[in-house]
Amino acid sequence: MTKAEIRDGFKFRGGSPSLDLAATVTGRLGAAPRDLLAAPADLDRWLVAAELAPAAPGATEGNLVQARSLREALYRLALSRAEGTALPEADRDLLNGFAALPAAPLQLGADGRAHLSGDVRGLLAELAREGVSLLGGDFSHRIRQCEGPPCAVLFVDTSRKGERRWCSMSACGNKAKAAGFRARERSA
């Protein structure tokens, strides 16, 4: 069974928790982007929806500032990978700083499933480590930005040929194909 692409109002189309965090700004390329992490409770909701925490871990304003800072660094670094440009040094330093923090430990729960356990800062450190692994790993050359206007979602292209163009076939891909069909119908 595949997980839902939209959970509790957040998009999970990146194929990676670090890219999903970067997607918590909607309309990023438009005139009025909207931050979905507007309050500490939103960060709690995202961490639960991302399945990084089994329950709201109690984010603070300070955690929210940290999460936004990590999010923007991850976005710029992943965008650099997608565009094949040099990684911004300040963002790389910030990411490495978060990754060096004590991460939330993995624990086996009473339900028999593995869960991260810890505070928000530890969960952010775990997200940073995942981001380092993605950005510096075997799939770093497969990070793409969705071609569906005005979508700015970054995703890991795991398709066999490596030619995926949209964050989601059911969302942006379907819209693009429908628009192409309508354009062909009008010109015929």
Side-chain angles (χ1 to χ4, degrees), residues 3-184:
K3 295 178 186 172
E5 289 183 356
I6 298 185
R7 299 190 296 270
D8 202 6
F10 299 104
K11 290 180 184 177
F12 292 91
R13 296 178 177 153
S16 156
S18 56
L19 296 181
D20 291 333
L21 178 64
T24 60
V25 173
T26 61
R28 188 181 281 274
L29 301 178
R34 187 168 68 97
D35 191 342
L36 299 179
L37 301 180
D42 297 327
L43 178 56
D44 278 341
R45 283 184 27 255
W46 186 86
L47 290 165
V48 171
E51 299 180 350
L52 294 171
T60 65
E61 283 292 334
N63 295 141
L64 183 61
V65 170
Q66 293 170 334
R68 288 175 177 163
S69 177
L70 177 60
R71 173 190 65 199
E72 294 309 308
L74 284 165
Y75 177 79
R76 289 186 295 267
L77 288 163
L79 187 60
S80 292
R81 282 292 193 214
E83 294 174 345
T85 60
L87 299 175
E89 186 175 347
D91 291 326
R92 199 170 37 81
D93 290 346
L94 188 140
L95 179 62
N96 287 334
F98 270 101
L101 295 172
L106 193 60
Q107 306 257 311
L108 186 61
D111 60 358
R113 296 184 53 196
H115 300 279
L116 290 173
S117 172
D119 61 7
V120 175
R121 190 171 172 174
L123 295 170
L124 294 177
E126 185 61 35
L127 265 171
R129 285 191 171 106
E130 188 274 332
V132 168
S133 292
L134 173 65
L135 294 164
D138 293 341
F139 285 93
S140 64
H141 69 285
R142 289 280 192 113
I143 296 172
R144 311 271 189 268
Q145 186 167 35
C146 184
E147 292 181 20
C151 188
V153 170
L154 294 159
F155 64 90
V156 180
D157 179 359
T158 56
S159 67
R160 190 176 325 176
K161 291 183 178 183
E163 298 175 354
R164 189 170 137 200
R165 298 173 54 198
W166 303 291
C167 63
S168 168
M169 190 58 212
S170 63
C172 293
N174 191 39
K175 288 177 189 173
K177 288 189 179 251
F181 175 77
R182 286 191 299 274
R184 285 189 302 279

